Amino acid sequence: VELLWEDEHVVVGWRENTCMAKPISRAQLFELGHVAVRFGTVRSMSFAERHLSALVPNLRIEITTPSFSSVARLVVGTQRIAVLQKRLANAFITSLPIRAWPLPVEIPVLRMMVQYHSVRAGDPAIAWLIGQMQQVASAPYLSNPIMIEDQNN
């Protein structure tokens, strides 16, 4: 098992959403409608949603989507918010009218890991693949993301 990267979560919303004019409060986080990601036929919660639900069991989920890549588009033109990984939010900030702020509650950092069977530890193909993933994970646009505070001006 090897660590590829760590990422924190942020709150994203439409730039014209009045609640997104400044960092949102803990109360707003739990009062506003959310866009959430659910996986598979059993509609499993995401890492962030599991942790938020532990804080507030009745989180106001208004829309669900099966993909993190569609979340930012689903807040545009609405008063809804979403919790996304900071790297992903930064990727959308330049192309969508969204704003992002730090999450007003503490949840654990997301750790992206790669796992393989120990029998494959010396496999050059596995080593190559992990190297490719590490190279992508350290790309400048990911390792030096747009500062959340800068894009909100």
Side-chain angles (χ1 to χ4, degrees), residues 59-72:
L59 195 62
R60 200 170 132 204
I61 306 296
E62 293 184 351
I63 295 179
T64 61
T65 180
S67 170
F68 286 110
S69 62
S70 62
V71 170

Side-chain angles (χ1 to χ4, degrees), residues 4-5 124-139:
L4 290 176
W5 73 80
I126 296 291
W128 174 85
L129 180 59
I130 291 170
Q132 294 297 304
M133 290 188 285
Q134 290 170 332
Q135 184 178 1
V136 169
S138 65

Side-chain angles (χ1 to χ4, degrees), residues 4 6 18 41 61 73 80-81 93 106 111-112 133:
L4 290 176
E6 293 183 337
T18 55
T41 55
I61 306 296
R73 287 176 179 82
R80 294 182 187 98
I81 59 172
I93 283 170
E106 296 270 334
R111 301 184 79 212
M112 188 59 64
M133 290 188 285

